[in-house]
Amino acid sequence: MPDYDFRTQRLYVDQTLNSGAVVEPDRAQSNYLLNVLRLRDGAPLLLFNGLDGEWVAQVAVKGRKACHLMVDRQTRLQTPPPTLSLMFAPLKQARLEYMVQKAVEMGAGTLQPVLTQRTQMRKLNIEKMKAHAVEACEQCGVISLPSLLEPKTLEHAVAALSAETHLIFCDEDAPATNPAEALSTLPAGAVRAVLIGPEGGFTQQERAMLMDHPRSTRIALGPRILRADTAAVAALAAVQMAIGDWS
């Protein structure tokens, strides 16, 4: 594992980072740093913006509710975003928040909501999803923000995949074999998109479309029916273990 500093608080800021820069945290961030974490003048802090790497800064307190962040030196160079994508049918809010956070932790670089024939939740708050993705990055040492895309129909989302992307779709009707065996035929490091279906699974029409895709692999996730948010974590773990950055 890379030598991350997990003891120092990490904060995402939407500002340019370089040595000597003075970052102005927003009101909510200032309140969190000063009144929740109770950081004092000169306390160290790790900053990232998804573009300039990770930097250490010091808190400069201006009062009970305001502070500056004085950027000192870079601790990590910027890493490229992961090529692994998660495509999923929208879920109810609490389960969606969990899935977004865990997908970022598991190394998903793109999150693509898809609308299937059995999708029940069709309205998404993308800004709230971004907030939960940022929170996961702060907690887990990830400094490349994932891309959160607007919802597409399943057909359009699959059609939009690049020619280099291999689609791995999880299907409860697939033969209950070890997913690692099915994934072992894919080249390590290939661009991958993992697709999780809705509650109730894919329709026969959707399943046929996915199986006809020229670069698709159908996998099962064990002998039990998993909730969609659990299935997303299980599928990403299987892919990372077999052909991803765990291997």
Side-chain angles (χ1 to χ4, degrees):
M1 174 181 285
D3 187 18
Y4 294 168
D5 179 356
F6 286 110
R7 293 173 295 178
T8 305
Q9 181 68 36
R10 183 177 286 102
L11 186 71
Y12 168 78
V13 293
D14 190 16
Q15 298 177 48
T16 301
L17 297 174
N18 52 58
S19 182
V22 179
V23 172
E24 299 282 351
D26 62 34
R27 187 172 181 178
Q29 289 176 322
S30 292
N31 179 68
Y32 178 68
L33 295 175
L34 299 180
N35 300 316
V36 178
L37 297 179
R38 298 185 180 278
L39 297 183
R40 298 295 181 244
D41 199 63
L45 192 67
L46 293 173
L47 305 180
F48 69 102
N49 61 6
L51 298 171
D52 300 321
E54 180 185 77
W55 294 74
V56 66
Q58 283 76 43
V59 176
V61 178
K62 296 171 58 181
R64 288 188 59 214
K65 298 182 178 180
C67 63
H68 293 317
L69 305 177
M70 315 299 292
V71 182
D72 183 7
R73 68 186 188 280
Q74 191 178 54
T75 54
R76 279 195 285 160
L77 296 173
Q78 183 61 45
T79 55
T83 59
L84 180 62
S85 300
L86 175 64
M87 304 167 67
F88 60 93
L91 306 172
K92 294 179 180 179
Q93 190 59 42
R95 292 169 59 191
L96 179 64
E97 293 172 5
Y98 171 86
M99 185 173 67
V100 168
Q101 291 174 340
K102 300 311 171 187
V104 174
E105 292 180 34
M106 295 298 298
T110 301
L111 302 179
Q112 173 65 74
V114 294
L115 304 178
T116 70
Q117 294 181 28
R118 290 175 176 162
T119 297
Q120 298 179 12
M121 304 297 294
R122 292 183 171 266
K123 291 185 179 180
L124 281 179
N125 187 328
I126 298 295
E127 290 305 312
K128 185 172 287 190
M129 287 176 58
K130 289 180 180 178
H132 289 295
V134 166
E135 181 181 336
C137 289
E138 291 175 337
Q139 293 177 347
C140 300
V142 177
I143 59 174
S144 295
L145 296 179
S147 298
L148 278 77
L149 307 181
E150 292 293 331
K152 291 184 174 73
T153 64
L154 177 61
E155 292 79 5
H156 286 135
V158 171
L161 294 175
S162 69
E164 297 79 27
T165 300
H166 200 101
L167 178 63
I168 301 164
F169 75 99
C170 305
D171 186 2
E172 59 195 29
D173 282 355
T177 56
N178 187 339
E181 296 176 359
L183 295 170
S184 64
T185 60
L186 303 183
V191 180
R192 302 165 304 281
V194 175
L195 172 61
I196 303 296
E199 297 175 351
F202 298 110
T203 65
Q204 289 298 332
Q205 179 184 3
E206 291 169 337
R207 186 174 289 110
M209 182 270 292
L210 294 169
M211 293 178 68
D212 284 342
H213 188 273
R215 297 172 305 281
S216 69
T217 298
R218 180 188 184 203
I219 65 172
L221 295 174
R224 291 165 294 280
I225 301 298
L226 304 179
R227 293 194 339 179
D229 49 343
T230 307
V233 177
L236 291 171
V239 170
Q240 294 288 48
M241 177 68 75
I243 55 172
D245 56 17
W246 290 12
S247 61

